[in-house]
Amino acid sequence: MSMQGVVSPAISFTPPKRNSLTHIPGDEGWPILGKTLEILADPKGHVEENAAKYGLVYRSHIFGETSLSLLGPEANELVMFDQAKLFSSAHGWGRILDLLFPRGLMLLDFDEHRLHRRALSVAFKSGPMKSYLAELDKGIAARVAQWKAKGGEMLLYPAMKQLTLDLAATSFLGAEIGPEVDEITRAFVDMVAASISVIRKPLPGTRMARGVAGRKRIVAYFSEQIPIRRARGGGDDLFSQLCHATHEDGALLSTEDVVDHMSFLMMAAHDTLTSSLTSFIGEIAANPEWQRKLRDEVNALGLAANAPTSFDNLEAMPLTEMAFREALRIKPPVPSIPRRSVRDFTFMGYAIPGGTMIGVNPLFTHHMPDIWTEPQKFDPMRFTEEAQRNRHRFAWVPFGGGAHMCLGLHFAYMQAKCFARHFLQNLEVSLQPGYRPDWQMWPIPKPRDGLRVTVKAV
C-alpha cells in the first residue's frame, strides 16, 4: 500500500454545548465581537491583565467563538507535547490558514503529521543544509555590502523583509529560478498578508481575494515545475529536495503534497525570520555593550571580509546564538498558538469539554517574572547551560514543542548566525537618542514604523 494515499481519518469531536465553559472564570465581552478588538490592540497587556484577574486558565470570546487561554510552562507542555493526543493543530490553525496554506505541516495531525514530517525531514539534513548555507551566505554578504556602501538611516523591517524573501527564493527554489521569481514572491507576499487579514472571505478588492489569487499562481507554478524537477534529478534547493522526497515505502510525495508543503514552508521561513532578525538587530542596537561582545566574537573567527561562512564558523558563535535566543524570548515570532481539544480533559482542576478552542501563549510565558528576572531586560546570559539547567523545558517555546516543533529551527539558527557574522563584521547599528520602537505583537511581531536605525561601516 502506498503511503502516498494515507490520510488520517477525519478527527471527530462534539462541539461544546452553549454555556459549557461558564464554570471557568473570564469575561466574554461584547456580543459577537467579544474581546477581539481588545486583544488585537494589545495582546500582551490583555493576556497579562486577564491572568492577574482570573489566573492561568481563563475564558474569553474572540473571533466569534468562546475559547480558553491556558498559560505558563505546564500548559505549554500539556498542549504542545500532547502525549495523550488531546489537541488538534489542524482544527486550531485551520480557520486562519486553510484557504491559503492548506495541508501544511501545522494543518496535519497525529499519524498523518508524523508521516509527512518524516518525509520532509530529508530537506533539512546535512547535505542540503550546507547547500542552503552557501546560497544564504552569498545573498547576505551582497546585501550587507549594499547597506554598508549607503550607510546612514534605514528602515530595518522592510529591508529585512526583502532580504529574507530574496533568500527564500534562492535557497528554497534554486538560484536558476529565472524571471518567474518576481511573480512568485509577489504571490507569497499577497498570501501572507491575507493570512492575517481581518476579513476572512475572498471578497472582491480585499487582501483575502488577493491572497487566494496568489495561491492559484503558486499552485500553477509548482505543479508545472514538479515533473520538470523530477525528470532533471539532483538539485540542492529545498524545492528539488521535496520533489524527490519519499514516504516510508519509497512512494514519492504527491504533487498536491509538494505544492502544499512548499507553500507553507516558504511562508513560515519568510515571515517569522523577518520578525526574528529584525528583533535581534533591534536589541543589539539598543544594547551597544552586547553589540560589541558579539562583534568581538565574530572578529575572533579570523575570517576575511569575502571569505565564505562554514558550519564550523557558526558553531564558534555561542554568544550570538544566546543573543538570538534572548531576542526570541522577548518577541517570539508566534506569540500565541491555537489548538482544539478533541476529547474532554482536565487542567488545573477545571473540566474542559472536547471541541473547545484552546490557546497557549509563548509571549506570556516568556515574560513571567517568576521564571525570568526583569523580563523586559535584554540579557543573553539567561541562555548559558547553567542558567537553563533548572528552568522548565517549556518555559522557552519560540519554536513550539512536541510533535509540531518547528521543522526549520536549525535553518533559522543557521540563517541568523550567518546574517550576524556579515552584519557585525561590516556594520555598527544604533538607535536615535530617545527613540523607542513601537511593536505590533500579533499575529507575528513587527515594528509599526519599520524600526528606524542608523548603520555605519566599522
Side-chain angles (χ1 to χ4, degrees):
M1 174 183 164
S2 169
M3 298 306 293
Q4 196 169 341
V6 170
V7 176
S8 295
I11 295 172
S12 62
F13 53 82
T14 304
K17 294 178 181 176
R18 184 174 176 81
N19 299 325
S20 64
L21 299 172
T22 52
H23 62 293
I24 295 171
D27 178 4
E28 298 195 26
W30 295 93
I32 302 174
L33 277 177
K35 291 286 186 175
T36 304
L37 297 181
E38 292 177 36
I39 290 171
L40 291 176
D42 182 13
K44 182 173 181 288
H46 180 82
V47 173
E48 289 175 345
E49 180 184 333
N50 277 273
K53 190 172 183 179
Y54 302 116
L56 296 180
V57 179
Y58 70 86
R59 169 175 48 90
S60 190
H61 189 93
I62 57 172
F63 300 115
E65 182 174 4
T66 298
S67 63
L68 299 182
S69 290
L70 310 185
L71 304 176
E74 290 78 14
N76 295 340
E77 182 170 22
L78 171 77
V79 175
M80 294 180 190
F81 189 54
D82 195 18
Q83 199 165 17
K85 295 185 177 180
L86 286 168
F87 304 101
S88 167
S89 180
H91 289 280
W93 285 108
R95 61 182 178 174
I96 301 171
L97 298 177
D98 257 347
L99 265 180
L100 301 156
F101 302 99
R103 293 186 58 75
L105 270 184
M106 285 202 312
L107 293 166
L108 302 176
D109 284 316
F110 310 131
D111 288 344
E112 186 182 20
H113 172 266
R114 179 183 58 81
L115 290 169
H116 281 263
R117 186 181 177 93
R118 182 173 294 175
L120 297 191
S121 67
V122 66
F124 294 95
K125 293 189 181 298
S126 175
M129 287 284 278
K130 287 179 180 175
S131 174
Y132 306 156
L133 176 58
E135 291 300 325
L136 293 172
D137 195 48
K138 288 187 289 187
I140 291 168
R143 190 61 53 86
V144 168
Q146 292 174 10
W147 296 347
K148 184 177 182 178
K150 187 175 181 181
E153 193 170 280
M154 65 183 285
L155 290 177
L156 184 63
Y157 183 82
M160 203 71 80
K161 189 174 182 67
Q162 189 59 55
L163 173 62
T164 59
L165 200 57
D166 292 345
L167 294 175
T170 53
S171 61
F172 280 27
L173 299 179
E176 76 286 358
I177 181 175
E180 306 100 324
V181 67
D182 289 337
E183 183 181 354
I184 297 305
T185 52
R186 272 199 308 274
F188 270 107
V189 168
D190 288 343
M191 289 165 70
V192 170
S195 69
I196 58 176
S197 65
V198 175
I199 298 172
R200 305 308 301 167
K201 292 186 177 180
L203 303 175
T206 62
R207 279 185 176 182
M208 184 58 77
R210 290 192 293 274
V212 170
R215 163 84 185 166
K216 288 180 180 176
R217 291 198 297 274
I218 291 292
V219 169
Y221 173 76
F222 284 145
S223 299
E224 175 188 291
Q225 284 290 312
I226 288 167
I228 296 172
R229 301 272 179 133
R230 284 177 171 167
R232 188 171 64 197
D236 291 325
D237 57 275
L238 187 139
F239 183 30
S240 296
Q241 292 290 315
L242 291 193
C243 287
H244 294 92
T246 61
H247 287 295
E248 292 168 324
D249 66 346
L252 290 165
L253 293 176
S254 69
T255 294
E256 293 77 11
D257 284 340
V258 175
V259 169
D260 291 339
H261 290 314
M262 273 301 302
S263 301
F264 176 77
L265 288 172
M266 282 194 71
M267 179 273 291
H270 163 55
D271 243 36
T272 55
L273 266 170
T274 300
S275 174
S276 301
L277 290 174
T278 302
S279 172
F280 171 62
I281 297 301
E283 291 295 346
I284 65 170
N287 294 273
E289 71 283 1
W290 269 103
Q291 187 175 164
R292 286 191 293 272
K293 290 178 184 178
L294 301 189
R295 184 172 291 108
D296 289 345
E297 180 176 73
V298 168
N299 289 337
L301 298 174
L303 293 172
N306 59 351
T309 310
S310 69
F311 273 103
D312 287 342
N313 298 145
L314 302 184
E315 286 293 316
M317 297 171 64
L319 275 183
T320 302
E321 181 169 323
M322 288 161 57
F324 183 59
R325 288 186 177 207
E326 175 67 343
L328 293 177
R329 180 192 68 80
I330 294 172
K331 295 182 181 72
V334 185
S336 59
I337 298 173
R339 293 285 190 271
R340 193 179 291 276
S341 62
V342 297
R343 299 192 304 280
D344 297 354
F345 70 102
T346 301
F347 182 65
M348 288 192 174
Y350 294 107
I352 301 170
T356 301
M357 184 62 92
I358 303 293
V360 292
N361 198 290
L363 181 61
F364 176 87
T365 307
H366 289 187
H367 289 81
M368 293 176 74
D370 54 339
I371 299 174
W372 313 96
T373 305
E374 296 183 84
Q376 301 302 326
K377 180 182 177 183
F378 179 74
D379 181 11
M381 297 309 289
R382 302 181 202 272
F383 292 93
T384 63
E385 284 188 24
E386 183 180 356
Q388 295 181 86
R389 194 168 294 130
N390 296 318
R391 193 179 296 147
H392 194 293
R393 63 179 181 147
F394 281 83
W396 182 78
V397 285
F399 296 106
H404 281 276
M405 173 81 81
C406 174
L407 185 63
L409 73 92
H410 296 298
F411 181 89
Y413 282 131
M414 179 178 74
Q415 183 161 333
K417 290 198 280 187
C418 181
F419 177 79
R421 175 254 155 141
H422 288 289
F423 190 93
L424 291 164
Q425 191 173 19
N426 288 279
L427 294 169
E428 179 182 294
V429 60
S430 60
L431 306 178
Q432 291 295 323
Y435 171 64
R436 293 180 62 84
D438 179 24
W439 282 73
Q440 168 192 308
M441 293 305 292
W442 193 91
I444 295 174
K446 71 174 186 177
R448 288 188 173 92
D449 66 350
L451 209 167
R452 285 182 289 110
V453 300
T454 302
V455 295
K456 66 177 184 179
V458 294

